[in-house]
Amino acid sequence: MSIKEFKQHFPKLILKENEPLSLYTYTKTGGPADVVAFPKTTEEVKDVVGWVKKESLPLTVLGNASNLIVKDGGIRGVVMILTEMKQIKIDKKKIIVQSGARLIDTSYAAYEAELTGLEFACGIPGSIGGAVYMNAGAYDGEVSEVIESVTVLTLDGEIKTLDNHELEFSYRHSRIQEIQDIVLEVVFQLKKGHTVEIKERMDELTFLRESKQPLEYPSCGSVFKRPAGYFTGKLIQEAGLQGKIWGGAQISMKHAGFIVNINHATATDYIELIQHIQEVILEKDGVKLVPEVRIIGEDQ
């Protein structure tokens, strides 16, 4: 496959060849993709999926790449990044959002429309599609609580709508992880609220996030899922691991549940540090830490 051939099929599509994915991930790590495509419409997404299938090429779909580690060898085939699909519409008590829009922006759109239910998401930087994929949540809220339906594109090119029940949400999980459909649009069902109360809650959660999370450094967000009966950060602290440096990566001094890029870290630094944490905690506490962050791509 050549970029020239791709452009011949999709002359209006934004395409980049041999593009470092470190430019897009929140960790600022990750090797190159053969081709990165930035569709702006559902039709473009459908066309790319159809062409990639016809050419028997690998396809990887990304949103905001905030809770993601791309390995240093990068990704072969076509990477489709959906951040150009970011329209947000209000319809009475519903918000209809394209999958590339940020969850943060959606929560503020809800506030401006005097709709309550998304305040918990005011600090989550991921895309709407990514939020559905992993049932993103914070501060006792999850997107599964306010999603009415999700429009998806199957890898066979069929567009269909799944209701909340069909998505089989659970902690940091949705059925999308198994079926690999591409999220195109999400409908949130919210409630009428009071602007002052919504803003007060959002300000409170923003303060908590800024005071407890290492936002001053690149990171992949919360690294591990919360093990039943434990707090991950506390386990890591009590194991004496907080502040540990591995290559250019460090277990955050501000919040031990985060790994930050302090000195040109590689994806390998992140992955090896994650594995080290898992080994230490399993041996010390008998607790198996499961990554919340998604790790994809090829080794260098």
Side-chain angles (χ1 to χ4, degrees), residues 209-216 242 252-256:
R209 180 172 178 263
E210 290 177 349
S211 61
K212 292 184 177 181
Q213 295 184 15
L215 304 180
E216 63 273 27
Q242 188 164 21
S252 170
M253 292 298 296
K254 198 170 185 180
H255 190 311

Side-chain angles (χ1 to χ4, degrees), residues 25-28 209 213-221 248-255 258-264 270:
T25 62
Y26 269 55
T27 59
K28 302 302 179 189
R209 180 172 178 263
Q213 295 184 15
L215 304 180
E216 63 273 27
Y217 291 106
S219 85
C220 56
Q250 181 185 40
I251 300 173
S252 170
M253 292 298 296
K254 198 170 185 180
H255 190 311
F258 287 68
I259 296 176
V260 292
N261 184 345
I262 62 168
N263 186 21
H264 307 291
Y270 265 87

Side-chain angles (χ1 to χ4, degrees), residues 45-62 78 80 82 133 151-160 162 176-184 294:
V45 173
K46 190 172 182 180
D47 288 345
V48 170
V49 169
W51 188 77
V52 165
K53 183 180 180 183
K54 176 175 161 290
E55 297 293 321
S56 300
L57 294 169
L59 174 66
T60 303
V61 181
L62 302 181
V78 178
M80 189 161 57
L82 301 180
Y133 182 90
T151 300
V152 299
L153 175 69
T154 71
L155 295 182
D156 290 327
E158 179 188 359
I159 293 176
K160 58 184 182 180
L162 304 174
I176 299 295
Q177 294 179 19
E178 280 79 54
I179 60 178
Q180 296 295 307
D181 289 350
I182 299 168
V183 176
L184 298 173
R294 186 179 166 209

Side-chain angles (χ1 to χ4, degrees), residues 160-220:
K160 58 184 182 180
T161 299
L162 304 174
D163 64 26
N164 186 296
H165 175 72
E166 291 175 293
L167 290 159
E168 298 175 8
F169 286 115
S170 59
Y171 175 63
R172 298 298 176 265
H173 174 270
S174 76
R175 186 178 162 219
I176 299 295
Q177 294 179 19
E178 280 79 54
I179 60 178
Q180 296 295 307
D181 289 350
I182 299 168
V183 176
L184 298 173
E185 187 177 84
V186 178
V187 178
F188 292 97
Q189 177 66 62
L190 304 177
K191 297 178 181 177
K192 204 67 179 171
H194 300 284
T195 303
V196 173
E197 292 175 5
I198 295 170
K199 187 65 165 58
E200 282 178 353
R201 180 59 175 160
M202 291 173 75
D203 288 345
E204 176 191 359
L205 295 182
T206 298
F207 172 78
L208 288 172
R209 180 172 178 263
E210 290 177 349
S211 61
K212 292 184 177 181
Q213 295 184 15
L215 304 180
E216 63 273 27
Y217 291 106
S219 85
C220 56

